[in-house]
Amino acid sequence: MTWIYLKDASLAYGHVPLLDHAEFVLDGGERVGLVGRNGTGKSSLLRILAGLERPDTGELQRRQGLRWAYVAQEPTFQDGQTVFGAVADGLQDIHTWLRRYADPGPDDDLDALQNAIEAVDGWRWEQRVAQTLARLRLPADADLATLSGGVRKRVALARALVGQPEVLLLDEPTNHLDIDAIDWLADQLRAFRGSVVVISHDRHFLDRVTTRIVELDRGQLRSYPGDYTQYESLKAEQLAQEAVIQAKADRLLAQEEVWIRKGVEARRTRAQARVERLHRLRQARAERREAVGQVRLEVARGQASGRLVAELEGVSLAFGEGAQRVEIVRDLSTTVLRGDKIGLIGPNGAGKTTLLKLLLGELQPDRGRVRLGSQLTVAYFDQMRAALDLDATLEDFISPGSEWIECAGRRTHVRSYLADFLLSPARAQSPVRSLSGGERNRLLLARLLARPANVLVLDEPTNDLDIETLELLEQRLADYPGTVFLVSHDRRFLDAVVTSTLVYEGDGCWREYEGGVEDWMAQSMRLHGRVPVWPSAWRDEGPEDTDKTGAAPTQPRPTADASIAPPTPRRRLGYKERRELEALPGQIEALEAEQRAIETELADGTLYGRDPQRAQGLAERHAAIEAALMEALERWEALDRWAREESPGSR
C-alpha cells in the first residue's frame, strides 16, 4: 500500500534545480536510504515529505490518517528542558486536547475530545513517555544542556517515537553517535513496524537498515532495490552505460556538425530531415545535465617530522575529586611513529578528545611521561566546527587577505581552489552560514588540507560528508606520508585508513590493536575470549555472488542490410536503387523512433535495479542503432547526390 506519493515535484534555489519533475513513492514497511552528493537537495526533499517545506511545483499525497515524525539533522530543544520534557513535546496534540478537556471553550465538544484522547491512549501519556525513555536508555531528569550531541540525538529520536508514528523521516541520524549507539539505532529501525526514510553517509548502517536505496542525482530520483552494497554494483553499471551512450551521442553530433558545414547541399530539400535531426541532437546535448564532478583533494605535506611523533609511558589522567573523580586514561604506554595512522574508538564521553590532547602534548598527565618528537606541525579538524566563522566569506575563510593560496606545491587562485571542493566560485563572497552542513565540512577540509602539516588530527570528519567525498578522503589519507589521528564511528572509513586502533575498554583502560575495526574485533576475541565491548553483529555480509561478471547475455550486433553498403560511384541509378532511395527516409525515421524509445526507458534509473540485463541489452541495441543510422544516412546522401547529378534540371 502506498503511504506517501510525491508527484512531479520541482524545487530550485538559484539557477540549479534540486528537484526536476521528480517522483517518489513510499510503501508500507519500506526502509529507504536516501543518498546523493552534498547540496543536491536531500534534506529539502525530506522536509517536503514532512510537510515543512513546499515544492515549487508538484503534489504531495499521504494516506488518510497517516502519522509521521521528522528528526532533523541538528535537532533543537527549548532552553532549560529536561529529557522528559523534551520527549513529552512529541505529544503536543494530546497535551492540547487535555488542556481543552480540562478547561473547555464555548466551541469545544467534550465527547469528541474524550474520544480523540482515548483513541490514542492519551490519559496515560506520562507512562508512554517513561516507557519510551526506558527503551531508548535515556535519563528522564537530566538537563539537556549538559548532554553530549549523541545523547541529544537519541532524545530527538525518542521525541519522534513517543507519538507512535507510522513513518519516520530521519536526516543524518548517525551523526555524533558512537559505534554502540549506531548499532543500537540500526536494531531499532529494523524492528520498527512502520516505514523509514533515512539520509545517511554511513555505508555499514545503510547496509544493515535499508530495503531500498533512492539516489537524488541531477534533480531526478532513481530507485535501486536492496541495501547499499547492491546499489553500488547497480550504480556502477548504470554510470558505465550512461557514459557510453553520451559518448556516442557526442560523436554523432560532431559528425553531423562537420556535415552541416560542408556547404549548400545540407540545406537542399531531400536532406532537410537530416538538418532537423542535427537540431534535435544539439537540443538534447544542451539539455543534458552532467554528473556532479568529483572533489579534488590534495593534502599539503609539511616538512617531514622526526621518526618519533609521540611516546607515552605509564600515562594516567583523571578529572574531579573524591566520589566525582573520573579516570579518563589509566596506565597507558604507546609509541607513535611517523606515518602511523591511528584510529581512536570508544563511546561518546570515553575521553577520545582528551587522549588526543595528551598525544599532542596539549595536556599534561597526572602520572607518567609524554615525550614528543621534533618538527611536528599539526593540522586539526574539529567535529564541532569551532573554527568556522559563520559571518566570513568563503574566500576570506580559506585565504584571509589574499586571492591566492599555496597548496601541495602549487599556487592556486582561491576561487579555483573552492571549485576543487565543489564550492561554486560564484559563491566566493557568500557568508559561510549560507552553506549546508556537508558544504561546511568540505570548507573546513579545504582549509585544513591547504595548510602544510605532518600530523593530521581528524575528529569526526565524516559527519555530513557525502559518500563519494568520503571515499576520496579515504584514498588521500591512506596515501598521506605523515601521521594521522582519526576519531570516527564510521567503521568502513576506519578500516580503509588506519593501521592501528586505540580502543576504550572501560575504567580508563585503552588498549592498542593492529589494523582496523574488523582486526580489533578478531584480536579482542582471541585475547579476551568474549564478545568485544560493542555488539559483534557488525560484519558486512554482502549479497551472494550469483553472477560474478554481472554482464548480460551477449546479443548479436544488428547490422545494416547488405543493400546499404556504399556503392561504387556512378552516374545512373538502377530500379532497385531508386526504390531504396524512396524507402531510406522511412527506415531512418523508424531507427530514430526506436532509439528515442530506448533513451526514454534508460532514462528511468529504476530499470537498472529492476532488470539490469534488460538495461544492458538496451544499451547495446542503442549502440547498434547509432551505427546503422550513420550507414543509412551516408547511403541516403550518396544516392540523393547521384539522383541530382542524373537530373540536374529537376533540382
Side-chain angles (χ1 to χ4, degrees):
M1 176 186 293
T2 297
W3 285 8
I4 296 179
Y5 178 32
L6 181 64
K7 179 181 179 182
D8 196 31
S10 296
L11 180 68
Y13 292 107
H15 65 285
V16 177
L18 299 179
L19 298 177
D20 189 6
H21 301 284
E23 294 197 359
F24 175 78
V25 176
L26 179 67
D27 292 333
E30 280 196 299
R31 296 191 299 271
V32 176
L34 184 58
V35 302
R37 301 299 293 269
N38 291 140
T40 55
K42 301 187 298 297
S43 293
S44 295
L45 173 60
L46 207 64
R47 288 177 60 82
I48 288 174
L49 298 179
L52 301 176
E53 193 170 332
R54 294 181 62 86
D56 298 334
T57 63
E59 180 183 4
L60 178 65
Q61 301 174 359
R62 298 191 189 93
R63 194 203 70 198
Q64 187 173 6
L66 183 71
R67 301 187 307 276
W68 69 92
Y70 167 73
V71 179
Q73 188 170 330
E74 298 293 341
T76 58
F77 303 95
Q78 297 179 25
D79 292 337
Q81 275 192 311
T82 63
V83 170
F84 187 94
V87 174
D89 281 348
L91 299 173
Q92 288 289 356
D93 288 345
I94 293 177
H95 296 327
T96 301
W97 295 334
L98 289 171
R99 283 195 302 270
R100 289 170 58 191
Y101 188 84
D103 186 16
D107 298 327
D108 284 329
D109 183 339
L110 291 181
D111 288 338
L113 283 172
Q114 182 174 349
N115 291 335
I117 294 169
E118 290 177 351
V120 294
D121 196 19
W123 303 113
R124 299 177 60 254
W125 70 268
E126 290 179 307
Q127 290 93 321
R128 278 175 59 178
V129 173
Q131 289 169 1
T132 303
L133 293 177
R135 183 154 57 96
L136 273 66
R137 299 177 296 178
L138 290 169
D141 297 329
D143 185 350
L144 273 174
T146 65
L147 301 180
S148 68
V151 177
R152 289 167 66 90
K153 205 73 176 242
R154 286 218 306 270
V155 173
L157 185 62
R159 182 171 60 183
L161 289 173
V162 74
Q164 298 176 348
E166 295 167 293
V167 175
L168 275 177
L169 305 171
L170 308 177
D171 193 350
E172 294 285 6
T174 61
N175 280 1
H176 309 301
L177 295 186
D178 55 43
I179 291 177
D180 185 22
I182 292 172
D183 280 327
W184 168 86
L185 177 59
D187 291 337
Q188 292 288 320
L189 295 182
R190 287 167 65 92
F192 182 63
R193 293 184 179 181
S195 296
V196 178
V197 181
V198 56
I199 299 173
S200 179
H201 63 267
D202 190 316
R203 292 155 288 182
H204 182 86
F205 175 78
L206 289 172
D207 270 342
R208 288 197 59 193
V209 169
T210 57
T211 59
R212 178 162 66 103
I213 297 293
V214 172
E215 180 190 38
L216 179 53
D217 179 27
R218 290 163 280 177
Q220 296 296 314
L221 292 169
R222 296 186 171 90
S223 180
Y224 302 82
D227 57 22
Y228 186 80
T229 298
Q230 292 170 294
Y231 154 77
E232 283 185 304
S233 175
L234 294 170
K235 182 63 177 177
E237 294 178 12
Q238 178 187 341
L239 288 176
Q241 293 169 4
E242 183 179 288
V244 170
I245 290 173
Q246 291 185 355
K248 289 182 178 294
D250 290 342
R251 187 162 60 249
L252 177 59
L253 176 59
Q255 291 171 344
E256 295 297 274
E257 293 284 7
V258 171
W259 172 81
I260 198 70
R261 290 194 294 269
K262 282 184 177 179
V264 295
E265 284 186 5
R267 293 184 290 277
R268 295 187 184 278
T269 303
R270 285 184 179 271
Q272 188 60 35
R274 190 169 179 182
V275 177
E276 293 173 357
R277 182 168 187 259
L278 172 60
H279 291 326
R280 291 198 300 272
L281 286 170
R282 286 172 173 170
Q283 183 178 1
R285 180 64 182 86
E287 292 176 352
R288 185 194 305 166
R289 290 187 66 186
E290 303 290 356
V292 179
Q294 181 66 279
V295 175
R296 291 182 56 190
L297 288 177
E298 292 186 33
V299 184
R301 303 174 181 181
Q303 180 182 4
S305 67
R307 184 171 183 272
L308 175 70
V309 173
E311 184 180 45
L312 278 63
E313 295 181 2
V315 166
S316 295
L317 179 66
F319 294 126
E321 298 292 339
Q324 302 297 320
R325 184 176 176 82
V326 177
E327 199 156 20
I328 305 299
V329 179
R330 176 165 54 86
D331 197 25
L332 174 63
S333 297
T334 186
T335 302
V336 181
L337 301 178
R338 181 179 64 236
D340 285 350
K341 297 176 176 62
I342 299 175
L344 276 68
I345 300 177
N348 289 329
K352 298 185 292 294
T353 301
T354 301
L355 178 56
L356 276 176
K357 292 180 178 180
L358 281 172
L359 288 165
L360 298 174
E362 296 179 10
L363 280 178
Q364 294 303 313
D366 297 334
R367 297 191 307 275
R369 184 172 71 95
V370 177
R371 184 162 68 98
L372 298 180
S374 61
Q375 298 179 336
L376 298 183
T377 309
V378 180
Y380 194 95
F381 183 96
D382 176 18
Q383 65 163 318
M384 301 310 293
R385 303 174 183 153
L388 279 175
D389 181 357
L390 298 181
D391 295 319
T393 65
L394 273 60
E395 193 172 69
D396 286 341
F397 182 77
I398 291 295
S399 182
S402 174
E403 295 183 354
W404 299 90
I405 191 167
E406 295 282 345
C407 180
R410 61 186 177 94
R411 192 167 184 257
T412 306
H413 195 279
V414 66
R415 297 197 175 201
S416 176
Y417 185 69
L418 286 170
D420 288 345
F421 288 80
L422 302 185
L423 297 168
S424 171
R427 301 173 67 185
Q429 293 301 318
S430 300
V432 172
R433 67 174 66 253
S434 68
L435 301 180
S436 68
E439 289 171 327
R440 292 182 187 184
N441 258 21
R442 286 210 303 267
L443 186 69
L444 274 176
L445 279 176
R447 192 170 85 156
L448 173 79
L449 301 182
R451 282 154 171 71
N454 48 41
V455 178
L456 289 180
V457 181
L458 305 176
D459 193 352
E460 290 290 358
T462 63
N463 286 348
D464 302 324
L465 287 183
D466 57 62
I467 292 172
E468 291 86 348
T469 305
L470 279 181
E471 291 173 345
L472 184 61
L473 183 59
E474 288 173 359
Q475 298 170 16
R476 294 296 183 266
L477 292 178
D479 296 336
Y480 179 61
T483 305
V484 177
F485 295 102
L486 175 60
V487 177
S488 179
H489 303 301
D490 187 326
R491 64 204 69 179
R492 285 202 188 180
F493 187 76
L494 284 165
D495 282 339
V497 173
V498 303
T499 57
S500 62
T501 54
L502 276 171
V503 181
Y504 180 76
E505 297 192 341
D507 297 327
C509 177
W510 293 83
R511 188 184 298 275
E512 186 171 7
Y513 295 87
E514 293 299 319
V517 173
E518 293 293 334
D519 299 301
W520 156 53
M521 291 177 60
Q523 294 173 60
S524 181
M525 287 292 289
R526 290 196 301 268
L527 182 65
H528 301 297
R530 59 175 173 81
V531 176
V533 177
W534 292 294
S536 60
W538 289 5
R539 304 191 181 278
D540 294 313
E541 296 178 358
E544 295 182 5
D545 294 331
T546 55
D547 181 1
K548 294 294 184 182
T549 64
T554 304
Q555 297 184 0
R557 178 185 176 91
T559 57
D561 188 79
S563 61
I564 298 181
T568 302
R570 59 192 180 94
R571 293 290 181 181
R572 300 183 63 82
L573 295 178
Y575 174 80
K576 289 184 178 180
E577 289 170 330
R578 290 185 185 280
R579 300 288 76 79
E580 181 186 353
L581 179 59
E582 294 172 359
L584 274 171
Q587 294 178 21
I588 292 171
E589 185 177 351
L591 287 170
E592 289 180 333
E594 183 183 358
Q595 189 180 53
R596 286 194 297 272
I598 290 174
E599 290 171 350
T600 300
E601 190 169 358
L602 287 177
D604 179 9
T606 61
L607 178 64
Y608 294 90
R610 289 185 284 106
D611 193 349
Q613 289 191 349
R614 175 166 174 76
Q616 176 74 20
L618 286 176
E620 293 177 358
R621 175 59 183 160
H622 187 282
I625 291 173
E626 287 290 352
L629 268 175
M630 288 307 300
E631 292 180 15
L633 286 167
E634 291 171 0
R635 175 66 171 171
W636 182 33
E637 183 180 3
L639 293 175
D640 183 60
R641 183 175 66 251
W642 293 333
R644 293 198 305 273
E645 291 173 354
E646 181 180 310
S647 306
S650 65
R651 301 281 181 239

